[in-house]
mmCIF file of all heavy atoms in Angstrom:
data_model
loop_
_atom_site.group_PDB
_atom_site.id
_atom_site.type_symbol
_atom_site.label_atom_id
_atom_site.label_comp_id
_atom_site.label_asym_id
_atom_site.label_seq_id
_atom_site.Cartn_x
_atom_site.Cartn_y
_atom_site.Cartn_z
ATOM 1 N N LEU P 22 63.046 109.770 138.148
ATOM 2 C CA LEU P 22 63.098 108.537 137.379
ATOM 3 C C LEU P 22 61.689 108.018 137.094
ATOM 4 O O LEU P 22 61.485 106.845 136.846
ATOM 5 C CB LEU P 22 63.902 107.478 138.136
ATOM 6 C CG LEU P 22 65.355 107.844 138.439
ATOM 7 C CD1 LEU P 22 66.036 106.729 139.219
ATOM 8 C CD2 LEU P 22 66.110 108.130 137.158
ATOM 9 N N ASP P 23 60.738 108.917 137.126
ATOM 10 C CA ASP P 23 59.328 108.566 136.936
ATOM 11 C C ASP P 23 58.985 108.508 135.452
ATOM 12 O O ASP P 23 59.008 109.536 134.766
ATOM 13 C CB ASP P 23 58.456 109.609 137.634
ATOM 14 C CG ASP P 23 56.969 109.322 137.512
ATOM 15 O OD1 ASP P 23 56.609 108.174 137.146
ATOM 16 O OD2 ASP P 23 56.173 110.225 137.802
ATOM 17 N N PRO P 24 58.637 107.339 134.908
ATOM 18 C CA PRO P 24 58.294 107.250 133.487
ATOM 19 C C PRO P 24 57.011 108.001 133.150
ATOM 20 O O PRO P 24 56.775 108.341 131.995
ATOM 21 C CB PRO P 24 58.153 105.752 133.245
ATOM 22 C CG PRO P 24 57.799 105.186 134.577
ATOM 23 C CD PRO P 24 58.536 106.028 135.576
ATOM 24 N N GLU P 25 56.176 108.258 134.160
ATOM 25 C CA GLU P 25 54.934 108.981 133.908
ATOM 26 C C GLU P 25 55.135 110.494 133.920
ATOM 27 O O GLU P 25 54.210 111.250 133.629
ATOM 28 C CB GLU P 25 53.894 108.594 134.960
ATOM 29 C CG GLU P 25 53.518 107.118 134.923
ATOM 30 C CD GLU P 25 52.493 106.788 135.990
ATOM 31 O OE1 GLU P 25 51.566 107.587 136.206
ATOM 32 O OE2 GLU P 25 52.621 105.726 136.621
ATOM 33 N N ASN P 26 56.340 110.919 134.284
ATOM 34 C CA ASN P 26 56.688 112.339 134.255
ATOM 35 C C ASN P 26 55.728 113.190 135.098
ATOM 36 O O ASN P 26 55.338 114.295 134.714
ATOM 37 C CB ASN P 26 56.702 112.857 132.813
ATOM 38 C CG ASN P 26 57.509 114.142 132.680
ATOM 39 O OD1 ASN P 26 58.464 114.368 133.417
ATOM 40 N ND2 ASN P 26 57.122 114.986 131.738
ATOM 41 N N ARG P 27 55.364 112.683 136.272
ATOM 42 C CA ARG P 27 54.484 113.430 137.156
ATOM 43 C C ARG P 27 55.232 114.568 137.843
ATOM 44 O O ARG P 27 56.453 114.532 137.961
ATOM 45 C CB ARG P 27 53.865 112.481 138.193
ATOM 46 C CG ARG P 27 52.903 111.472 137.597
ATOM 47 C CD ARG P 27 52.548 110.391 138.599
ATOM 48 N NE ARG P 27 53.705 109.586 138.957
ATOM 49 C CZ ARG P 27 53.670 108.578 139.826
ATOM 50 N NH1 ARG P 27 52.534 108.272 140.431
ATOM 51 N NH2 ARG P 27 54.755 107.890 140.094
ATOM 52 N N THR P 28 54.503 115.569 138.281
ATOM 53 C CA THR P 28 55.119 116.744 138.885
ATOM 54 C C THR P 28 55.726 116.394 140.247
ATOM 55 O O THR P 28 55.012 115.910 141.138
ATOM 56 C CB THR P 28 54.083 117.864 139.075
ATOM 57 O OG1 THR P 28 53.522 118.190 137.802
ATOM 58 C CG2 THR P 28 54.733 119.101 139.679
ATOM 59 N N PRO P 29 57.020 116.633 140.427
ATOM 60 C CA PRO P 29 57.643 116.356 141.725
ATOM 61 C C PRO P 29 57.568 117.574 142.638
ATOM 62 O O PRO P 29 57.234 118.679 142.192
ATOM 63 C CB PRO P 29 59.094 116.064 141.342
ATOM 64 C CG PRO P 29 59.327 116.953 140.149
ATOM 65 C CD PRO P 29 58.005 117.015 139.403
ATOM 66 N N TYR P 30 57.892 117.390 143.908
ATOM 67 C CA TYR P 30 57.992 118.518 144.819
ATOM 68 C C TYR P 30 59.108 119.452 144.363
ATOM 69 O O TYR P 30 60.206 119.004 144.015
ATOM 70 C CB TYR P 30 58.315 118.045 146.237
ATOM 71 C CG TYR P 30 57.202 117.304 146.927
ATOM 72 C CD1 TYR P 30 57.346 115.961 147.280
ATOM 73 C CD2 TYR P 30 56.012 117.941 147.260
ATOM 74 C CE1 TYR P 30 56.337 115.278 147.946
ATOM 75 C CE2 TYR P 30 54.994 117.264 147.919
ATOM 76 C CZ TYR P 30 55.161 115.939 148.257
ATOM 77 O OH TYR P 30 54.153 115.263 148.909
ATOM 78 N N GLY P 31 58.827 120.751 144.384
ATOM 79 C CA GLY P 31 59.820 121.719 143.943
ATOM 80 C C GLY P 31 61.033 121.783 144.844
ATOM 81 O O GLY P 31 62.137 122.098 144.393
ATOM 82 N N GLU P 32 60.837 121.459 146.142
ATOM 83 C CA GLU P 32 61.948 121.564 147.095
ATOM 84 C C GLU P 32 62.622 120.221 147.389
ATOM 85 O O GLU P 32 63.238 120.043 148.440
ATOM 86 C CB GLU P 32 61.460 122.191 148.397
ATOM 87 C CG GLU P 32 61.135 123.662 148.277
ATOM 88 C CD GLU P 32 60.972 124.303 149.640
ATOM 89 O OE1 GLU P 32 59.966 124.014 150.316
ATOM 90 O OE2 GLU P 32 61.853 125.084 150.031
ATOM 91 N N ARG P 33 62.546 119.293 146.443
ATOM 92 C CA ARG P 33 63.209 118.005 146.636
ATOM 93 C C ARG P 33 64.720 118.152 146.761
ATOM 94 O O ARG P 33 65.399 117.244 147.264
ATOM 95 C CB ARG P 33 62.855 117.054 145.492
ATOM 96 C CG ARG P 33 63.334 117.517 144.123
ATOM 97 C CD ARG P 33 62.688 116.700 143.019
ATOM 98 N NE ARG P 33 63.134 117.109 141.684
ATOM 99 C CZ ARG P 33 62.654 118.161 141.038
ATOM 100 N NH1 ARG P 33 61.718 118.925 141.591
ATOM 101 N NH2 ARG P 33 63.096 118.467 139.831
ATOM 102 N N MET P 34 65.272 119.299 146.342
ATOM 103 C CA MET P 34 66.717 119.511 146.445
ATOM 104 C C MET P 34 67.181 119.515 147.905
ATOM 105 O O MET P 34 68.341 119.229 148.189
ATOM 106 C CB MET P 34 67.127 120.819 145.767
ATOM 107 C CG MET P 34 66.621 120.987 144.342
ATOM 108 S SD MET P 34 66.997 119.578 143.273
ATOM 109 C CE MET P 34 66.164 120.080 141.769
ATOM 110 N N ILE P 35 66.280 119.845 148.825
ATOM 111 C CA ILE P 35 66.622 119.751 150.245
ATOM 112 C C ILE P 35 67.057 118.328 150.564
ATOM 113 O O ILE P 35 68.091 118.094 151.199
ATOM 114 C CB ILE P 35 65.413 120.133 151.123
ATOM 115 C CG1 ILE P 35 65.069 121.616 150.962
ATOM 116 C CG2 ILE P 35 65.685 119.792 152.590
ATOM 117 C CD1 ILE P 35 63.785 122.019 151.685
ATOM 118 N N HIS P 36 66.273 117.372 150.115
ATOM 119 C CA HIS P 36 66.516 115.973 150.433
ATOM 120 C C HIS P 36 67.798 115.471 149.782
ATOM 121 O O HIS P 36 68.642 114.867 150.450
ATOM 122 C CB HIS P 36 65.318 115.133 149.981
ATOM 123 C CG HIS P 36 64.030 115.560 150.606
ATOM 124 N ND1 HIS P 36 63.403 114.865 151.615
ATOM 125 C CD2 HIS P 36 63.233 116.644 150.363
ATOM 126 C CE1 HIS P 36 62.290 115.478 151.973
ATOM 127 N NE2 HIS P 36 62.161 116.562 151.212
ATOM 128 N N GLY P 37 67.933 115.733 148.481
ATOM 129 C CA GLY P 37 69.125 115.267 147.773
ATOM 130 C C GLY P 37 70.402 115.832 148.354
ATOM 131 O O GLY P 37 71.411 115.118 148.489
ATOM 132 N N ALA P 38 70.384 117.105 148.721
ATOM 133 C CA ALA P 38 71.586 117.742 149.261
ATOM 134 C C ALA P 38 71.956 117.172 150.621
ATOM 135 O O ALA P 38 73.140 116.985 150.932
ATOM 136 C CB ALA P 38 71.376 119.253 149.358
ATOM 137 N N VAL P 39 70.955 116.882 151.448
ATOM 138 C CA VAL P 39 71.246 116.292 152.761
ATOM 139 C C VAL P 39 71.794 114.879 152.599
ATOM 140 O O VAL P 39 72.777 114.498 153.247
ATOM 141 C CB VAL P 39 69.995 116.297 153.655
ATOM 142 C CG1 VAL P 39 70.250 115.514 154.942
ATOM 143 C CG2 VAL P 39 69.588 117.723 153.994
ATOM 144 N N TYR P 40 71.188 114.074 151.719
ATOM 145 C CA TYR P 40 71.710 112.724 151.491
ATOM 146 C C TYR P 40 73.135 112.772 150.938
ATOM 147 O O TYR P 40 73.970 111.935 151.283
ATOM 148 C CB TYR P 40 70.802 111.954 150.530
ATOM 149 C CG TYR P 40 69.461 111.604 151.106
ATOM 150 C CD1 TYR P 40 68.280 111.913 150.423
ATOM 151 C CD2 TYR P 40 69.346 110.965 152.334
ATOM 152 C CE1 TYR P 40 67.037 111.593 150.946
ATOM 153 C CE2 TYR P 40 68.107 110.642 152.870
ATOM 154 C CZ TYR P 40 66.962 110.961 152.170
ATOM 155 O OH TYR P 40 65.734 110.645 152.694
ATOM 156 N N GLU P 41 73.400 113.721 150.094
ATOM 157 C CA GLU P 41 74.733 113.876 149.516
ATOM 158 C C GLU P 41 75.770 114.192 150.597
ATOM 159 O O GLU P 41 76.891 113.671 150.583
ATOM 160 C CB GLU P 41 74.713 114.992 148.465
ATOM 161 C CG GLU P 41 76.037 115.274 147.803
ATOM 162 C CD GLU P 41 75.940 116.455 146.850
ATOM 163 O OE1 GLU P 41 75.901 117.609 147.337
ATOM 164 O OE2 GLU P 41 75.891 116.225 145.630
ATOM 165 N N ALA P 42 75.383 115.056 151.538
ATOM 166 C CA ALA P 42 76.320 115.524 152.562
ATOM 167 C C ALA P 42 76.455 114.558 153.734
ATOM 168 O O ALA P 42 77.492 114.560 154.411
ATOM 169 C CB ALA P 42 75.874 116.893 153.082
ATOM 170 N N ARG P 43 75.421 113.748 153.975
ATOM 171 C CA ARG P 43 75.383 112.944 155.201
ATOM 172 C C ARG P 43 75.133 111.467 154.885
ATOM 173 O O ARG P 43 73.992 111.052 154.682
ATOM 174 C CB ARG P 43 74.275 113.472 156.128
ATOM 175 C CG ARG P 43 74.456 114.889 156.644
ATOM 176 C CD ARG P 43 75.269 114.917 157.907
ATOM 177 N NE ARG P 43 74.653 114.129 158.960
ATOM 178 C CZ ARG P 43 73.713 114.595 159.801
ATOM 179 N NH1 ARG P 43 73.280 115.852 159.680
ATOM 180 N NH2 ARG P 43 73.230 113.823 160.746
ATOM 181 N N SER P 44 76.178 110.669 154.878
ATOM 182 C CA SER P 44 76.011 109.241 154.610
ATOM 183 C C SER P 44 75.279 108.527 155.743
ATOM 184 O O SER P 44 74.761 107.419 155.556
ATOM 185 C CB SER P 44 77.375 108.585 154.388
ATOM 186 O OG SER P 44 78.192 108.720 155.545
ATOM 187 N N ASP P 45 75.211 109.165 156.919
ATOM 188 C CA ASP P 45 74.532 108.559 158.065
ATOM 189 C C ASP P 45 73.024 108.787 158.039
ATOM 190 O O ASP P 45 72.294 108.191 158.832
ATOM 191 C CB ASP P 45 75.094 109.130 159.367
ATOM 192 C CG ASP P 45 74.883 110.640 159.476
ATOM 193 O OD1 ASP P 45 75.237 111.351 158.508
ATOM 194 O OD2 ASP P 45 74.392 111.101 160.519
ATOM 195 N N VAL P 46 72.552 109.625 157.136
ATOM 196 C CA VAL P 46 71.132 109.987 157.071
ATOM 197 C C VAL P 46 70.411 109.110 156.058
ATOM 198 O O VAL P 46 70.851 108.966 154.918
ATOM 199 C CB VAL P 46 70.963 111.475 156.708
ATOM 200 C CG1 VAL P 46 69.518 111.786 156.333
ATOM 201 C CG2 VAL P 46 71.410 112.347 157.872
ATOM 202 N N ASN P 47 69.285 108.539 156.478
ATOM 203 C CA ASN P 47 68.475 107.703 155.588
ATOM 204 C C ASN P 47 67.038 108.183 155.454
ATOM 205 O O ASN P 47 66.248 107.561 154.747
ATOM 206 C CB ASN P 47 68.490 106.258 156.085
ATOM 207 C CG ASN P 47 69.860 105.618 155.951
ATOM 208 O OD1 ASN P 47 70.427 105.569 154.868
ATOM 209 N ND2 ASN P 47 70.404 105.153 157.065
ATOM 210 N N ALA P 48 66.687 109.281 156.137
ATOM 211 C CA ALA P 48 65.335 109.832 156.020
ATOM 212 C C ALA P 48 65.384 111.324 156.313
ATOM 213 O O ALA P 48 66.120 111.772 157.199
ATOM 214 C CB ALA P 48 64.380 109.134 156.978
ATOM 215 N N VAL P 49 64.591 112.081 155.558
ATOM 216 C CA VAL P 49 64.563 113.539 155.679
ATOM 217 C C VAL P 49 63.117 114.009 155.682
ATOM 218 O O VAL P 49 62.299 113.530 154.893
ATOM 219 C CB VAL P 49 65.335 114.211 154.520
ATOM 220 C CG1 VAL P 49 65.191 115.733 154.584
ATOM 221 C CG2 VAL P 49 66.809 113.810 154.547
ATOM 222 N N VAL P 50 62.817 114.958 156.570
ATOM 223 C CA VAL P 50 61.499 115.605 156.614
ATOM 224 C C VAL P 50 61.699 117.102 156.446
ATOM 225 O O VAL P 50 62.588 117.688 157.069
ATOM 226 C CB VAL P 50 60.784 115.342 157.957
ATOM 227 C CG1 VAL P 50 59.471 116.137 158.026
ATOM 228 C CG2 VAL P 50 60.520 113.856 158.159
ATOM 229 N N HIS P 51 60.873 117.711 155.600
ATOM 230 C CA HIS P 51 60.813 119.178 155.516
ATOM 231 C C HIS P 51 59.393 119.599 155.842
ATOM 232 O O HIS P 51 58.432 119.052 155.287
ATOM 233 C CB HIS P 51 61.197 119.683 154.130
ATOM 234 C CG HIS P 51 60.910 121.141 153.937
ATOM 235 N ND1 HIS P 51 61.403 122.110 154.780
ATOM 236 C CD2 HIS P 51 60.166 121.801 153.000
ATOM 237 C CE1 HIS P 51 60.973 123.305 154.376
ATOM 238 N NE2 HIS P 51 60.226 123.136 153.297
ATOM 239 N N ASN P 52 59.242 120.543 156.785
ATOM 240 C CA ASN P 52 57.898 120.964 157.172
ATOM 241 C C ASN P 52 57.867 122.433 157.541
ATOM 242 O O ASN P 52 58.911 123.074 157.715
ATOM 243 C CB ASN P 52 57.397 120.110 158.334
ATOM 244 C CG ASN P 52 58.103 120.426 159.630
ATOM 245 O OD1 ASN P 52 57.750 121.369 160.341
ATOM 246 N ND2 ASN P 52 59.137 119.650 159.976
ATOM 247 N N HIS P 53 56.650 122.951 157.674
ATOM 248 C CA HIS P 53 56.418 124.357 158.020
ATOM 249 C C HIS P 53 55.585 124.466 159.294
ATOM 250 O O HIS P 53 54.725 125.340 159.406
ATOM 251 C CB HIS P 53 55.670 125.076 156.884
ATOM 252 C CG HIS P 53 56.236 124.850 155.527
ATOM 253 N ND1 HIS P 53 55.429 124.721 154.411
ATOM 254 C CD2 HIS P 53 57.509 124.729 155.084
ATOM 255 C CE1 HIS P 53 56.187 124.531 153.335
ATOM 256 N NE2 HIS P 53 57.449 124.521 153.725
ATOM 257 N N ALA P 54 55.791 123.565 160.263
ATOM 258 C CA ALA P 54 54.988 123.571 161.484
ATOM 259 C C ALA P 54 54.987 124.962 162.109
ATOM 260 O O ALA P 54 56.038 125.554 162.350
ATOM 261 C CB ALA P 54 55.535 122.542 162.469
ATOM 262 N N TYR P 55 53.794 125.468 162.386
ATOM 263 C CA TYR P 55 53.643 126.875 162.769
ATOM 264 C C TYR P 55 54.380 127.232 164.061
ATOM 265 O O TYR P 55 54.903 128.345 164.193
ATOM 266 C CB TYR P 55 52.160 127.213 162.909
ATOM 267 C CG TYR P 55 51.363 126.966 161.645
ATOM 268 C CD1 TYR P 55 50.103 126.389 161.692
ATOM 269 C CD2 TYR P 55 51.889 127.290 160.397
ATOM 270 C CE1 TYR P 55 49.380 126.153 160.528
ATOM 271 C CE2 TYR P 55 51.175 127.058 159.239
ATOM 272 C CZ TYR P 55 49.923 126.483 159.305
ATOM 273 O OH TYR P 55 49.215 126.238 158.155
ATOM 274 N N ALA P 56 54.455 126.316 165.020
ATOM 275 C CA ALA P 56 55.119 126.624 166.285
ATOM 276 C C ALA P 56 56.612 126.881 166.118
ATOM 277 O O ALA P 56 57.239 127.542 166.957
ATOM 278 C CB ALA P 56 54.891 125.488 167.283
ATOM 279 N N LEU P 57 57.184 126.373 165.036
ATOM 280 C CA LEU P 57 58.620 126.560 164.800
ATOM 281 C C LEU P 57 58.943 127.956 164.277
ATOM 282 O O LEU P 57 60.050 128.473 164.492
ATOM 283 C CB LEU P 57 59.127 125.538 163.774
ATOM 284 C CG LEU P 57 58.890 124.058 164.067
ATOM 285 C CD1 LEU P 57 59.410 123.230 162.910
ATOM 286 C CD2 LEU P 57 59.548 123.654 165.364
ATOM 287 N N LEU P 58 58.005 128.552 163.578
ATOM 288 C CA LEU P 58 58.290 129.765 162.814
ATOM 289 C C LEU P 58 58.772 130.943 163.665
ATOM 290 O O LEU P 58 59.680 131.674 163.230
ATOM 291 C CB LEU P 58 57.063 130.153 161.988
ATOM 292 C CG LEU P 58 56.596 129.078 160.983
ATOM 293 C CD1 LEU P 58 55.394 129.569 160.204
ATOM 294 C CD2 LEU P 58 57.723 128.667 160.046
ATOM 295 N N PRO P 59 58.231 131.187 164.865
ATOM 296 C CA PRO P 59 58.740 132.319 165.646
ATOM 297 C C PRO P 59 60.232 132.227 165.958
ATOM 298 O O PRO P 59 60.922 133.250 166.051
ATOM 299 C CB PRO P 59 57.902 132.256 166.933
ATOM 300 C CG PRO P 59 56.636 131.585 166.530
ATOM 301 C CD PRO P 59 57.060 130.568 165.514
ATOM 302 N N PHE P 60 60.738 131.010 166.101
ATOM 303 C CA PHE P 60 62.152 130.840 166.444
ATOM 304 C C PHE P 60 63.068 131.082 165.240
ATOM 305 O O PHE P 60 64.273 131.250 165.412
ATOM 306 C CB PHE P 60 62.387 129.439 167.008
ATOM 307 C CG PHE P 60 61.660 129.208 168.302
ATOM 308 C CD1 PHE P 60 60.438 128.549 168.327
ATOM 309 C CD2 PHE P 60 62.182 129.672 169.500
ATOM 310 C CE1 PHE P 60 59.756 128.344 169.523
ATOM 311 C CE2 PHE P 60 61.510 129.474 170.700
ATOM 312 C CZ PHE P 60 60.297 128.814 170.709
ATOM 313 N N GLY P 61 62.495 131.115 164.060
ATOM 314 C CA GLY P 61 63.292 131.378 162.869
ATOM 315 C C GLY P 61 63.324 132.836 162.467
ATOM 316 O O GLY P 61 64.038 133.205 161.526
ATOM 317 N N ILE P 62 62.560 133.690 163.185
ATOM 318 C CA ILE P 62 62.474 135.099 162.765
ATOM 319 C C ILE P 62 62.725 136.093 163.895
ATOM 320 O O ILE P 62 62.654 137.307 163.681
ATOM 321 C CB ILE P 62 61.086 135.397 162.143
ATOM 322 C CG1 ILE P 62 59.951 135.089 163.127
ATOM 323 C CG2 ILE P 62 60.907 134.598 160.858
ATOM 324 C CD1 ILE P 62 58.562 135.419 162.602
ATOM 325 N N THR P 63 63.030 135.591 165.098
ATOM 326 C CA THR P 63 63.172 136.495 166.245
ATOM 327 C C THR P 63 64.566 136.539 166.850
ATOM 328 O O THR P 63 64.864 137.424 167.657
ATOM 329 C CB THR P 63 62.214 136.086 167.376
ATOM 330 O OG1 THR P 63 62.533 134.747 167.798
ATOM 331 C CG2 THR P 63 60.767 136.145 166.910
ATOM 332 N N GLY P 64 65.396 135.578 166.500
ATOM 333 C CA GLY P 64 66.697 135.504 167.143
ATOM 334 C C GLY P 64 66.678 134.713 168.438
ATOM 335 O O GLY P 64 67.720 134.530 169.078
ATOM 336 N N ARG P 65 65.507 134.232 168.856
ATOM 337 C CA ARG P 65 65.388 133.404 170.060
ATOM 338 C C ARG P 65 65.607 131.958 169.679
ATOM 339 O O ARG P 65 64.905 131.407 168.824
ATOM 340 C CB ARG P 65 64.006 133.575 170.694
ATOM 341 C CG ARG P 65 63.790 132.754 171.973
ATOM 342 C CD ARG P 65 64.736 133.211 173.081
ATOM 343 N NE ARG P 65 64.334 132.726 174.386
ATOM 344 C CZ ARG P 65 64.709 131.550 174.915
ATOM 345 N NH1 ARG P 65 65.456 130.731 174.224
ATOM 346 N NH2 ARG P 65 64.312 131.215 176.130
ATOM 347 N N ALA P 66 66.596 131.318 170.276
ATOM 348 C CA ALA P 66 66.948 129.956 169.903
ATOM 349 C C ALA P 66 65.892 128.964 170.352
ATOM 350 O O ALA P 66 65.331 129.078 171.450
ATOM 351 C CB ALA P 66 68.294 129.579 170.505
ATOM 352 N N LEU P 67 65.616 127.992 169.520
ATOM 353 C CA LEU P 67 64.793 126.853 169.891
ATOM 354 C C LEU P 67 65.708 125.815 170.519
ATOM 355 O O LEU P 67 66.729 125.424 169.936
ATOM 356 C CB LEU P 67 64.083 126.277 168.670
ATOM 357 C CG LEU P 67 63.248 125.007 168.870
ATOM 358 C CD1 LEU P 67 62.149 125.233 169.909
ATOM 359 C CD2 LEU P 67 62.641 124.559 167.549
ATOM 360 N N GLU P 68 65.357 125.346 171.724
ATOM 361 C CA GLU P 68 66.219 124.437 172.474
ATOM 362 C C GLU P 68 65.418 123.246 172.980
ATOM 363 O O GLU P 68 64.207 123.353 173.187
ATOM 364 C CB GLU P 68 66.842 125.162 173.664
ATOM 365 C CG GLU P 68 67.682 126.370 173.273
ATOM 366 C CD GLU P 68 68.173 127.143 174.481
ATOM 367 O OE1 GLU P 68 67.326 127.505 175.332
ATOM 368 O OE2 GLU P 68 69.389 127.372 174.579
ATOM 369 N N PRO P 69 66.073 122.117 173.215
ATOM 370 C CA PRO P 69 65.368 120.977 173.810
ATOM 371 C C PRO P 69 65.048 121.271 175.269
ATOM 372 O O PRO P 69 65.958 121.496 176.075
ATOM 373 C CB PRO P 69 66.369 119.823 173.664
ATOM 374 C CG PRO P 69 67.711 120.485 173.616
ATOM 375 C CD PRO P 69 67.490 121.794 172.918
#
């Protein structure tokens, strides 16, 4: 809805889709923090 037509983030669909699916969600973060990456490619679960 930007009248200046500035370039938006290409992955904004992450945010819209989460808001669409989750009425309880009011904020979304997408990141590439390096410490997370091994858990996404090894099959080893990241746990609290």
